């Protein structure tokens, strides 16, 4: 593998840090009354060269708000440059330049931000100042209009259903999954249906902190921040106490429990930064837990333990994060009997439970399924649409945090 010069690495790291600080701030400074702006960016070699301080800055024209380093902190530099631009031009800047590093474009949605960025890059390439144009925003649509949502484990199952449901409600969604190929395919099909930039895929291993950070960096460079983080990635490995393999126990714990913590640790600072600039807005973290986080699950203790732990994390995160503008809740769905977690013919829970002898008298997968349907007062498995309704409720509800909301068809009733 070729060794990259240290200078290039340092420069890339500085740009990543600048995006980390400036993009969530710009979302807040340039948002509307009810929501933050979408802030996309470009830090390509062209941008770095053409916006360098050695170049005559005039060529950038009135189109761009140029951030000058007159203050010690980048937050102060960006805030004052935006205020100065607004005062001079009597409008919000659409293009914000950190000379030699990165260009940000802000808009009420990704489409308009992207158009402004494309115009600006064209102008840089042709060497002529582009007249300021206000790109038309998409008409508001849906209960999550223009919000940025990241869903882990979104290549299939509940995660995909949540992403599909929220993009249909107007959100921009990030499908974050270990399976990048499938997540990319699903994100492309959402883009085809809802428009370019309304969905993107990133690779993530939620059990790995570096992977969480790298995924977030990609989200920040495309959308500038996050309004809702759905920690959904989760696995089950059933087995009795004596037969459960230690590596399975550890894998379940590292993804379902540790992975939830790592996700919150990674995204919370971005939401906190957004709340600092917009104290009137709250942001959301939602863990997709399980009814097995509310009552024990026979021969499935690794899973139930990780989900009970998730409830403890949710309550504790909620207490810590509400003062910095983040609500944290769990949703506890019942069994998605039609989804791959249950129905996968090789590793699905029906097969696992049959093998583990969890359902007395069951000799086929169909027997196992029938016994699970019979437990639900509403007589069916949980569907992604049921969970999407719960997500929308928790986001819209401004007076609740730290809760575990059952969506179980009446199978689990909380005291
Ligand atoms: N299916 C159910 O009946 C049910 C019921 C209650 C709760 N839940 C919970 O809902 C969530 C989703 O379950 P599902 O049934 O849709 O699962 P699923 O198996 O259908 O999909 C899980 C997704 O997570 C991804 N994934 C696995 N490990 C990962 C990792 N380390 N990092 C990133 N992504 C990873 C997989 O690639 C897959 O796309 C889980 O947390 C699960 O515990 C499921």
């Amino acid at each position: 593998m070729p060794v990259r010069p240290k200078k290039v690495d340092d420069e890339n790291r500085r740009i990543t840090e600048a995006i980390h600080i400036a993009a969530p701030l710009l979302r807040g400074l340039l948002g509307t009354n009810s929501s933050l702006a979408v802030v996309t960016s470009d830090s390509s070699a062209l941008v770095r060269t053409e916006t360098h301080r050695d170049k005559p800055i005039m060529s950038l024209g009135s189109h761009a708000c140029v951030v000058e380093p007159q203050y010690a902190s980048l937050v102060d530099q960006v805030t004052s440059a935006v205020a100065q631009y607004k005062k001079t031009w009597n409008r919000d800047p659409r293009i914000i330049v950190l000379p030699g590093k990165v260009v940000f474009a802000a808009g009420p949605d990704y489409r308009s931000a992207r158009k402004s960025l494309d115009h600006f890059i064209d102008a840089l390439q042709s060497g002529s100042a582009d007249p300021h144009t206000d790109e038309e925003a998409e008409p508001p649509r849906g209960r999550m209009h223009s919000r940025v949502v990241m869903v882990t484990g979104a290549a299939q199952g509940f995660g995909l259903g949540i992403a599909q449901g929220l993009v249909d409600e107007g959100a921009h969604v990030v499908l974050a999954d270990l399976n990048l190929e499938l997540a990319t395919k699903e994100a492309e099909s959402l883009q085809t249906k809802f428009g370019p930039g309304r969905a993107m895929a990133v690779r993530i291993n939620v059990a790995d902190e570096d992977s969480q950070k790298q995924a977030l960096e990609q989200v920040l460079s495309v959308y500038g921040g996050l309004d809702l983080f759905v920690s959904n990635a989760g696995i089950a490995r059933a087995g009795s106490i004596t037969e459960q393999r230690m590596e399975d126990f550890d894998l379940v714990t590292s993804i379902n429990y540790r992975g939830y913590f790592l996700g919150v640790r990674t995204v919370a600072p971005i939401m906190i930064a957004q709340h600092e600039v917009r104290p009137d807005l709250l942001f959301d973290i939602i863990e997709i837990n399980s009814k097995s986080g509310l009552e024990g699950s026979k021969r499935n203790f690794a899973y139930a333990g990780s989900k009970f732990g998730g409830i403890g994390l949710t309550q504790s995160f909620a207490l810590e994060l509400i003062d910095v503008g983040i609500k944290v809740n769990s949703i506890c769905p019942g069994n998605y009997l039609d989804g791959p977690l249950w129905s996968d013919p090789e590793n699905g829970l029906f097969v696992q439970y049959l093998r583990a002898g969890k359902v007395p008298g069951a000799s086929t997968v169909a027997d196992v399924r029938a016994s699970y349907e019979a437990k639900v007062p509403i007589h069916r498995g949980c569907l992604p649409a049921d969970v999407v309704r719960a997500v929308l409720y928790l986001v819209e509800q401004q007076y609740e945090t730290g809760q575990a909301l059952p969506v179980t068809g009446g199978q689990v009733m909380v005291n």
Side-chain angles (χ1 to χ4, degrees):
M1 210 167 95
V3 180
R4 283 205 307 178
K6 191 171 172 307
K7 213 173 144 212
V8 174
D9 284 344
D10 285 350
E11 182 61 6
N12 287 341
R13 191 176 40 75
R14 272 198 293 274
I15 288 171
T16 303
E17 282 170 10
I19 293 173
H20 220 88
I21 293 168
L25 173 65
L26 287 167
R27 289 196 78 206
L29 291 173
L30 302 172
T32 65
N33 281 347
S34 57
S35 63
L36 302 186
V38 170
V39 173
T40 196
S41 57
D42 186 328
S43 55
S44 60
L46 173 88
V47 160
R48 295 184 204 184
T49 317
E50 291 303 317
T51 67
H52 200 272
R53 287 214 160 72
D54 298 345
K55 291 256 170 186
I57 221 78
M58 283 309 289
S59 68
L60 297 173
S62 71
H63 198 104
C65 166
V66 180
V67 177
E68 299 292 354
Q70 73 266 45
Y71 298 105
S73 83
L74 184 58
V75 170
D76 290 343
Q77 288 168 25
V78 171
T79 309
S80 100
V82 168
Q84 189 58 46
Y85 183 98
K86 287 185 185 191
K87 204 170 146 202
T88 309
W89 301 101
N90 205 22
R91 63 173 183 244
D92 280 352
R94 306 293 299 247
I95 294 289
I96 302 91
V97 183
L98 295 192
K101 285 198 176 76
V102 52
V103 170
F104 296 101
D109 52 50
Y110 177 82
R111 197 186 64 156
S112 60
R114 182 73 236 178
K115 272 194 172 177
S116 295
L117 187 58
D118 289 345
H119 275 167
F120 186 75
I121 301 295
D122 285 352
L124 276 187
Q125 262 165 339
S126 65
S128 66
D130 189 43
H132 180 95
T133 46
D134 266 335
E135 296 306 334
E136 248 179 60
E138 289 179 31
R141 99 177 266 282
R143 294 157 71 182
M144 294 292 289
H145 177 70
S146 85
R147 306 288 166 85
V148 180
V149 180
M150 178 171 176
V151 185
T152 65
Q156 63 172 45
F158 271 144
L160 176 60
I162 293 166
Q164 288 168 332
L166 297 183
V167 79
D168 195 32
E169 287 288 348
H172 304 86
V173 292
V174 181
L175 281 65
D177 205 288
L178 203 52
N179 186 343
L180 180 62
E181 203 184 328
L182 189 54
T184 304
K185 188 177 140 272
E186 296 297 346
E188 281 170 1
S189 98
L190 286 175
Q191 295 210 31
T192 306
K193 189 165 174 202
F194 294 96
R198 291 290 302 286
M200 69 180 276
V202 295
R203 188 192 177 277
I204 196 171
N205 174 4
V206 297
D208 180 79
E209 191 167 16
D210 285 340
S211 171
Q212 292 260 14
K213 286 182 180 161
Q214 282 158 18
L216 180 70
E217 275 167 24
Q218 292 178 59
V219 177
L220 291 180
S221 66
V222 175
Y223 297 126
L226 266 185
D227 298 289
L228 165 64
F229 174 66
V230 182
S231 175
N232 164 82
I235 60 163
R237 293 287 182 270
S240 71
I241 294 164
T242 48
E243 284 161 8
Q244 171 94 75
R245 296 185 322 159
M246 267 328 286
E247 55 264 43
D248 282 346
F249 184 89
D250 289 342
L251 186 67
V252 170
T253 309
S254 73
I255 293 174
N256 297 8
Y257 180 67
R258 190 168 182 273
Y260 174 32
F261 161 55
L262 290 178
V264 172
R265 185 173 157 106
T266 307
V267 302
I270 297 303
M271 293 183 176
I272 292 170
Q274 291 172 171
H275 182 69
E276 269 170 15
V277 58
R278 285 296 301 266
D280 55 322
L281 297 180
L282 295 176
F283 303 97
D284 282 275
I285 292 171
I286 295 178
E287 184 214 12
I288 303 304
N289 195 285
S290 169
K291 73 176 173 47
S292 301
L294 301 172
E295 59 177 28
S297 182
K298 192 174 170 188
R299 295 202 173 94
N300 195 20
F301 53 84
Y303 182 72
S306 71
K307 294 295 185 178
F308 267 70
I311 303 284
L313 294 181
T314 291
Q315 293 185 3
S316 309
F317 295 155
L319 290 170
E320 182 173 336
L321 293 177
I322 193 57
D323 289 336
V324 283
I326 307 170
K327 294 185 279 140
V328 187
N329 291 286
S330 291
I331 292 172
C332 300
N335 299 325
Y336 177 17
L337 301 179
D338 294 332
L341 185 74
W342 282 85
S343 294
D344 184 283
E346 309 231 312
N347 233 343
L349 289 178
F350 288 139
V351 177
Q352 288 187 48
Y353 289 175
L354 185 65
R355 284 192 207 124
K358 195 171 137 93
V359 179
S363 56
T364 64
V365 158
D367 294 339
V368 181
R369 183 181 178 116
S371 86
Y372 278 88
E373 278 168 348
K375 293 177 194 201
V376 187
I378 294 186
H379 302 302
R380 66 165 173 86
C382 183
L383 294 170
D386 301 314
V387 178
V388 170
R389 272 180 222 112
V391 170
L392 293 170
Y393 163 74
L394 287 172
V395 170
E396 287 171 354
Q397 176 55 269
Q398 298 290 293
Y399 191 57
E400 204 51 274
T401 192
Q403 301 302 333
L405 178 62
V407 183
T408 66
Q411 193 176 352
V412 174
M413 300 184 186
V414 287
N415 294 319

